[in-house]
Amino acid sequence: KVGVPTSYANTAYLSCTFQHRNFATMKSSEGLLGTIKVLASDLDGTLLNPDHVPGTGTFEAIEEFRAAGGIFVVCTGRDKGSARGVLKGLDIDKLPGVYMNGTIAQGMDGVPLKSAVIPDKVVQEVIAWGRANRGDASILFVQGDDHFVMDLNDEYALFMHKHLLDPYPAQVEGGWDVPNPKIPETVNLMRVICSPEKMAIVKPQIQELVGLQANCAQSLPTTIDIMAPNTTKATGLHTVLKSMGLSEAVTAAIGDSENDLEMLQSVKVACAMGNAVQKTKAVAHFVMNRNTDAVPGVVSLLSQITSALKASKKRPSVVGNGTPAIKVACFGGGGWGTPVARMVGQTLLHNPKFDTDLVWWLNDEIVDGMRLTDIVNAHHENPKYARGVRLPPNIRATADAADAARGRDVLIFVERQEVVKRLLVEIAGDVKKDAVAVVLSKDMVEISTGGLKFGSQVVADALGIETAVLMGGTLTGDVIAGHFAEATLGCANPDRTAMLLEIFNKPNFVVSSLPSVLAVELFAVLKSIVSLASGISDGLGFGFNTKAAIVRLGAVEINKFAMHFYPQHAVTNALHEACGWTDLIVSSFGASRNKCWAAAFAKDPSRSDEAIAVDSVPDGKVPTGLRTIKDIAVFIKKERVEVEFPFMTKIHRIISRRDPPSSLTEMAVPRVRRSDALKVCILGSGNWGTAIARIIAQNVDRLSDYQKNVNMWVHEEMVDGRKLTDIINMDHENVKYLKGFHLPTNLIAVPDAKEAVKGAHVLIFVLPHQFLDRLLDQISDVVEPGVMAVSMIKGHIVVSDGGQSLKTGSQVIAERLRISECAVLNGANVADDVASGNFAEATLGCSNESNALLLARLFNSKDFSVRAVPDVLGVELFGGLKNVVALAAGFADGLGLAENTKAAILRRGLLEMSLLIHNIFPNSKPETVEESCGIADLLTTCYSGRNWRCAKEFAKDPSRTWEDIEKEMLGGQKLQGPSCCMDVQALIEARGLQNKLPLLSAVHAAVTKQISPQDVFTTNGFLAPQS
């Protein structure tokens, strides 16, 4: 397992206590576990194994825990009678417990605390549904310990009783044969039972039918439980703890299913079984053994907590300092405000530093005939923006903003700009002078007399208090679903930073921090402009080359904007944090509001902004990015710097309908320079080689700098009975590697490499690296002295001496041809997209300025923009290392990980690539990562490249060989990622960088089948680990 990356010591990977959730971490957490007095345990799948029997040592471990002073609470979807039947070695009548998912709760010595009943209207509606859908599902009714079904012949009901070892059920008198069967007078729980294959159909129907009238949750692959309103395991456990004078702050919980999510998220220490579903693991601090292991997960957990509890009694008690608990309020109940309130509410439940209650201001709307605040307080759900998502019981909703702010120490704003400004007026007189505000709204920017004014300054000026911001790659749906996401906290006060990190940090929501508020906020706000551009690209049907180039150009211009107007804040380099690259990737490649709107706009700009929003944005509202780009454009014009910021200027002109969407790529300006006529030879005729040869041949045909004819060396092969060179020279098409694209007549295919290079002044190497040495052997004695060479070979690294010695492809070429330098061209280039004329860009690495200008002219065209930089080795190594990160991206997509998670993985990969390059070549330029060869090439490769595609397939079936996948998917092309992995890992190990580069190291381990693709992400904290 890879350790915590020491190079990230200032980020959340260390500030989040539980980020690395494995058993070894638990063993070192005695101080934390020593604070636990209560363990709440699920039953089926957790305390019981698949045979519905407690694992070896379970009862003994429970008794030892209780003897040490611990309190064990059974929390199950079963009724008490059924639980009693499978826990015969435990006197559950004397233990506190939660039954039927919170319907029944009992305290110490079995004292009854709660017995909830389902409203009769819900019972009758479910019966009517069951009558209409009898072929798909059965219905079970529970009254206390008694069970009833509508018909003893119902297949699913009888199967479930056998499966759960419940007593044999009684049949409702009359059953399905009478219009009004005699249902029990009080129903505590209804269980809808169907086959796993039918669940995807049945579950949404039941959720819609029940609505807010009751609570429902899927407890097993075959069952949906319907309970009384406001009934969950979490609320039941809260009732039990309250009866004992305890709280979630001294409680741990363990479970395995989605039904356990709220309970786990409400306690101080959340544990998941090794056999748990991924959603449950994602919210867990620790993942234990499976329930089938020799030492089951519950036994392991009880053993650790018992040992810690005994040790804590030996330590002297520490008297508190009397500091009042910190009180928190949240303002905003929309699509993003709801999951934020949910996360914060869960933190307050189990962290004793904070007051338990979270006051939540909502814009009080009428939903289903009720006020939204009343719905939240009664049913702990926001059906307007997050239907079906249960909220913690400690959230108190209010429509009175002043009431929400009064006496609170932390004010969290998650609303649109116009709403926040109204709230600030309403609460100004009720805010504590030493309070702190946190702005999560990404749309707050306006023009003031002093220039641009961002949300943090608006809030700070209005309330006169310190203000922080929290921004990152956070698609709402992914966060609600519990997928890994990351964000950046901008806060200048170190003490406040530590406190706020405690509020927001979660195992699956990792927050790092920067001391500059504005640096974090600026990138998060301006990224909406880039997501608009990304959407326009999608709407026009541009390929990944174009999209990656646009995202990179936008990111570079945001960085330039920051340096130009806010140099004192730009030095923090927020672009490389979650508020930068992660947010840019998520909003440009995920289903962000701005991107979705812009894609629809590009298809039909004649429609109004509002009409487009209705059809393309989930809530039908015009995205805030439109206002942002308009304000920024006004500011740029006012400052008279439009020429300095062509990207933002162009997006504004398109959005304001002054330019057509198709003009998106017209901001690139070709570089030109005259020289003597030079002969060009291209060495390689594969997919990418033919595509670049097509561009070069078109360019030289109109340039006096170069000779008209371009030789292209072609490895001769027969295609449909004809030589490939004959087909290219006669039909002007490479039918084997670039079928369907006409080639210029001045492109000459030559089968003999020596003949091809004779008299050439410029050699372009664009072939699989496996064939480079053989080619150099053939041509080295006929190459012109002083020839200019350009390597377009990605991923060619020659490692020797156990990783101590390294040569890149360009260094090999320069050495073998006896020239001072071989330039490098790398970038976001998918061959078919480039050949199709979709806009793309590349980076030319060349330290000789005159050669750089000359070569840039050779490659540059209207649709293929080339930018020259002097960092040859940086350009080249990014082109190789990105193949390793592309494998990680393919693994992520093959496993079905969310966009938030994938964006975080790519940002981590980008950081590790930069760190390795700097370690190998300290003189490399850190800013090279922002060129096309860096971020843009990474994005293209990780969303559409061959390494990504093959890794995606490998993740689905890791038993396959890479050779088999390459043969099946690439049609003769070569897969470079796996071999590159070997070389990169040798470099990492030779320099002892395994702990600093855990993602690259884990990818190598997966490629060589030492670990699974999923383990790549569990060992790096993106997923909770499997047992």
Side-chain angles (χ1 to χ4, degrees):
K1 302 292 185 180
V2 200
V4 180
T6 55
S7 60
Y8 303 154
N10 63 332
T11 73
Y13 298 106
L14 293 183
S15 64
C16 180
T17 308
F18 307 114
Q19 179 57 31
H20 292 275
R21 297 158 285 175
N22 52 43
F23 194 56
T25 309
M26 169 167 278
K27 290 181 177 180
S28 65
S29 303
E30 184 181 278
L32 167 70
L33 298 181
T35 66
I36 299 302
K37 294 181 172 55
V38 181
L39 175 61
S41 174
D42 171 51
L43 196 53
D44 290 281
T46 302
L47 206 61
L48 304 179
N49 63 27
D51 296 323
H52 309 290
V53 176
T56 304
T58 298
F59 294 145
E60 294 83 353
I62 292 173
E63 290 307 316
E64 186 179 356
F65 173 60
R66 295 180 66 206
I71 300 170
F72 188 80
V73 183
V74 175
C75 294
T76 177
R78 289 176 181 256
D79 60 87
K80 191 174 176 182
S82 172
R84 190 184 294 116
V86 294
L87 294 175
K88 294 178 180 177
L90 203 62
D91 188 359
I92 66 171
D93 291 312
K94 298 291 181 67
L95 293 178
V98 176
Y99 299 96
M100 290 187 276
N101 296 316
T103 298
I104 303 292
Q106 67 180 37
M108 297 293 287
D109 299 320
V111 174
L113 300 174
K114 175 185 177 183
S115 180
V117 177
I118 301 173
D120 183 64
K121 180 174 181 289
V122 176
V123 174
Q124 297 304 325
E125 289 178 352
V126 174
I127 290 174
W129 178 89
R131 195 184 297 276
N133 296 274
R134 190 177 175 191
D136 294 333
S138 300
I139 302 172
L140 169 73
F141 304 88
V142 182
Q143 181 185 39
D145 289 349
D146 297 325
H147 306 145
F148 303 84
V149 292
M150 294 296 292
D151 189 333
L152 284 174
N153 292 319
D154 280 356
E155 175 187 357
Y156 299 121
L158 296 180
F159 168 78
M160 189 48 56
H161 275 277
K162 180 181 179 181
H163 178 67
L164 292 179
L165 304 181
D166 280 352
Y168 199 82
Q171 181 173 302
V172 171
E173 187 176 339
W176 294 119
D177 296 330
V178 299
N180 297 301
K182 292 187 178 180
I183 304 299
E185 291 183 5
T186 57
V187 177
N188 298 117
L189 178 142
M190 283 187 292
R191 178 165 282 159
V192 178
I193 308 165
C194 66
S195 67
E197 294 76 20
K198 293 280 188 180
M199 182 58 71
I201 300 172
V202 171
K203 185 176 178 180
Q205 294 180 15
I206 294 298
Q207 289 176 326
E208 183 177 359
L209 177 69
V210 171
L212 295 173
Q213 303 175 86
N215 186 31
C216 67
Q218 182 177 347
S219 54
L220 290 169
T222 52
T223 63
I224 302 171
D225 291 344
I226 303 173
M227 293 82 66
N230 195 27
T231 300
T232 65
K233 287 184 181 180
T235 57
L237 178 60
H238 188 70
T239 300
V240 172
L241 293 171
K242 190 173 181 181
S243 74
M244 297 185 294
L246 299 172
S247 75
E248 285 83 354
V250 295
T251 304
I254 184 168
D256 72 306
S257 72
E258 289 185 34
N259 207 24
D260 301 315
L261 283 174
E262 292 175 52
M263 177 177 72
L264 296 181
Q265 291 176 302
S266 69
V267 299
K268 184 172 186 178
V269 177
C271 300
M273 294 294 292
N275 48 277
V277 299
Q278 188 54 54
K279 283 187 178 180
T280 304
K281 290 181 178 180
V283 303
H285 299 120
F286 304 109
V287 177
M288 310 305 299
N289 302 336
R290 296 172 180 269
N291 55 18
T292 54
D293 288 345
V295 180
V298 172
V299 175
S300 299
L301 178 59
L302 282 164
S303 173
Q304 292 300 314
I305 297 179
T306 301
S307 298
L309 193 59
K310 290 177 179 178
S312 68
K313 291 182 178 181
K314 297 177 183 179
R315 293 192 293 266
S317 61
V318 179
V319 180
N321 58 13
T323 303
I326 300 168
K327 298 181 178 182
V328 183
C330 188
F331 296 83
W336 181 219
T338 301
V340 169
R342 184 176 184 236
M343 289 192 297
V344 173
Q346 290 161 352
T347 295
L348 304 192
L349 269 176
H350 64 67
N351 193 323
K353 289 184 180 180
F354 299 94
D355 185 78
T356 302
D357 293 336
L358 172 65
V359 182
W360 188 25
W361 176 87
L362 299 175
N363 188 19
D364 215 1
E365 308 172 60
I366 302 299
V367 180
D368 299 334
M370 295 177 63
R371 299 172 75 90
L372 186 55
T373 51
D374 292 339
I375 294 173
V376 171
N377 290 329
H379 302 286
H380 300 288
E381 181 182 355
N382 184 343
K384 178 67 182 289
Y385 296 103
R387 186 178 290 275
V389 177
R390 305 297 297 175
L391 301 171
N394 59 322
I395 291 180
R396 176 174 68 85
T398 178
D400 186 337
D403 171 57
R406 197 171 296 121
R408 298 282 140 178
D409 303 292
V410 181
L411 309 177
I412 301 170
F413 293 93
V414 201
E415 268 291 359
R416 294 162 72 98
Q417 177 171 301
E418 59 271 19
V419 179
V420 173
K421 294 180 76 172
R422 173 167 58 83
L423 289 169
L424 295 176
V425 174
E426 294 179 19
I427 70 175
D430 295 279
V431 175
K432 293 175 64 175
K433 295 303 180 186
D434 59 347
V436 60
V438 187
V439 176
L440 278 75
S441 308
K442 296 182 180 180
D443 69 327
M444 293 191 65
V445 62
E446 60 185 34
I447 299 176
S448 65
T449 54
L452 290 176
K453 195 173 186 180
F454 289 88
S456 58
Q457 189 178 348
V458 171
V459 173
D461 290 349
L463 302 181
I465 61 175
E466 184 179 357
T467 304
V469 297
L470 184 75
M471 311 285 178
T474 50
L475 288 180
T476 299
D478 288 351
V479 175
I480 288 177
H483 298 304
F484 181 90
E486 60 178 3
T488 308
L489 175 72
C491 183
N493 184 317
D495 293 333
R496 289 276 172 83
T497 296
M499 180 267 291
L500 293 174
L501 285 173
E502 286 195 64
I503 291 179
F504 293 107
N505 241 325
K506 300 283 183 183
N508 57 332
F509 190 81
V510 175
V511 183
S512 60
S513 63
L514 287 176
S516 170
V517 176
L518 185 57
V520 173
E521 192 171 19
L522 186 146
F523 277 95
V525 172
L526 297 190
K527 72 92 179 55
S528 63
I529 301 172
V530 183
S531 62
L532 287 173
S534 175
I536 295 171
S537 175
D538 286 349
L540 294 172
F542 290 163
F544 281 105
N545 283 351
T546 306
K547 186 169 179 175
I550 287 168
V551 172
R552 188 199 72 84
L553 287 168
V556 169
E557 193 155 296
I558 293 175
N559 213 23
K560 182 179 178 182
F561 188 94
M563 292 296 295
H564 187 93
F565 294 108
Y566 306 99
Q568 70 276 27
H569 297 280
V571 294
T572 59
N573 208 3
L575 178 61
H576 298 282
E577 298 295 330
C579 61
W581 284 128
T582 306
D583 200 4
L584 277 164
I585 295 169
V586 166
S587 60
S588 297
F589 288 85
S592 68
R593 294 162 52 86
N594 289 297
K595 192 197 83 168
C596 291
W597 182 93
F601 162 81
K603 294 175 182 177
D604 185 4
S606 65
R607 303 170 66 200
S608 69
D609 295 348
E610 293 74 17
I612 295 171
V614 169
D615 293 338
S616 61
V617 181
D619 61 3
K621 296 179 180 178
V622 176
T624 55
L626 272 68
R627 185 180 64 235
T628 299
I629 183 57
K630 290 173 184 176
D631 287 344
I632 295 299
V634 170
F635 175 73
I636 288 174
K637 186 174 182 179
K638 178 184 174 184
E639 297 292 321
R640 298 180 179 179
V641 289
E642 292 105 318
V643 70
E644 294 292 326
F645 300 100
F647 182 93
M648 297 181 190
T649 301
K650 170 57 73 174
I651 302 306
H652 176 250
R653 290 183 63 86
I654 293 174
I655 294 299
S656 59
R657 297 170 174 81
R658 292 157 63 189
D659 287 350
S662 58
S663 68
L664 177 65
T665 60
E666 292 177 4
M667 64 192 83
V669 181
R671 284 77 168 168
V672 296
R673 177 192 169 134
R674 296 189 58 82
S675 181
D676 295 331
L678 302 171
K679 182 178 180 180
V680 179
C681 174
I682 297 162
L683 294 159
S685 58
N687 186 232
W688 182 218
T690 307
I692 201 66
R694 189 168 183 261
I695 290 176
I696 289 174
Q698 290 169 342
N699 282 347
V700 300
D701 193 40
R702 58 181 175 80
L703 296 174
S704 59
D705 301 346
Y706 297 93
Q707 295 182 23
K708 182 175 180 179
N709 288 340
V710 175
N711 283 354
M712 177 172 71
W713 171 64
V714 176
H715 178 68
E716 191 69 278
E717 51 189 309
M718 302 300 291
V719 179
D720 295 331
R722 299 173 64 192
K723 292 181 179 180
L724 183 56
T725 52
D726 289 343
I727 296 174
I728 293 173
N729 291 332
M730 297 173 66
D731 300 345
H732 305 293
E733 181 183 357
N734 187 338
V735 295
K736 179 69 182 287
Y737 296 110
L738 198 66
K739 189 176 180 63
F741 293 96
H742 184 268
L743 301 177
T745 58
N746 62 324
L747 181 64
I748 312 300
V750 182
D752 186 296
K754 282 190 174 185
E755 190 64 31
V757 303
K758 281 182 180 178
H761 305 96
V762 180
L763 300 181
I764 312 296
F765 290 85
V766 53
L767 71 162
H769 65 79
Q770 297 94 321
F771 306 126
L772 179 61
D773 283 338
R774 189 193 317 163
L775 175 65
L776 291 172
D777 287 339
Q778 291 177 289
I779 68 172
S780 58
D781 60 338
V782 295
V783 169
E784 292 285 327
V787 69
M788 282 188 286
V790 181
S791 172
M792 298 179 64
I793 303 171
K794 295 185 178 183
H796 187 31
I797 302 172
V798 180
V799 177
S800 57
D801 298 331
Q804 296 294 338
S805 177
L806 164 70
K807 282 185 181 178
T808 67
S810 69
Q811 290 175 321
V812 170
I813 293 170
E815 180 180 288
R816 296 287 297 279
L817 299 184
R818 298 178 296 280
I819 57 178
S820 60
E821 177 184 87
C822 173
V824 174
L825 188 78
N826 269 330
N829 316 127
V830 173
D832 286 352
D833 285 349
V834 171
S836 297
N838 291 335
F839 176 78
E841 58 175 4
T843 308
L844 177 69
C846 183
S847 63
N848 183 305
E849 185 176 354
S850 60
N851 285 354
L853 291 170
L854 190 61
L855 292 171
R857 183 167 170 76
L858 175 64
F859 290 102
N860 224 334
S861 71
K862 177 174 67 71
D863 298 317
F864 190 69
S865 177
V866 176
R867 174 181 163 85
V869 299
D871 186 10
V872 178
L873 295 177
V875 172
E876 187 167 21
L877 284 176
F878 272 115
L881 296 181
K882 67 95 170 53
N883 290 330
V884 182
V885 182
L887 295 175
F891 293 160
D893 286 334
L895 294 169
L897 304 191
E899 282 293 341
N900 283 351
T901 309
K902 182 176 177 180
I905 291 165
L906 298 193
R907 186 185 74 89
R908 176 86 70 85
L910 200 65
L911 292 176
E912 292 193 13
M913 288 162 64
S914 300
L915 192 152
L916 180 57
I917 291 172
H918 182 71
N919 186 278
I920 298 171
F921 297 114
N923 293 329
S924 63
K925 306 296 182 183
E927 58 268 22
T928 303
V929 71
E930 298 166 17
E931 298 293 337
S932 177
C933 63
I935 181 63
D937 196 10
L938 182 73
L939 292 176
T940 296
T941 308
C942 291
Y943 281 91
S944 65
R946 67 182 74 163
N947 290 291
W948 167 78
R949 286 190 287 123
C950 291
K952 187 176 177 181
E953 289 303 309
F954 181 80
K956 295 175 183 177
D957 183 6
S959 66
R960 298 182 65 184
T961 66
W962 289 103
E963 292 77 13
D964 176 49
I965 295 173
E966 176 187 82
K967 183 177 180 181
E968 176 187 315
M969 300 193 65
L970 299 187
Q973 293 179 292
K974 294 298 180 182
L975 181 64
Q976 297 170 324
S979 61
C980 186
C981 257
M982 311 304 170
D983 292 331
V984 169
Q985 190 62 22
L987 294 171
I988 291 172
E989 293 179 1
R991 289 157 176 77
L993 298 174
Q994 294 95 318
N995 286 342
K996 290 186 177 182
L997 305 173
L999 180 61
L1000 298 183
S1001 296
V1003 171
H1004 169 263
V1007 166
T1008 55
K1009 301 190 177 185
Q1010 300 173 55
I1011 63 175
S1012 70
Q1014 181 156 314
D1015 287 338
V1016 172
F1017 308 116
T1018 59
T1019 57
N1020 280 277
F1022 297 111
L1023 291 176
Q1026 298 278 4
S1027 172

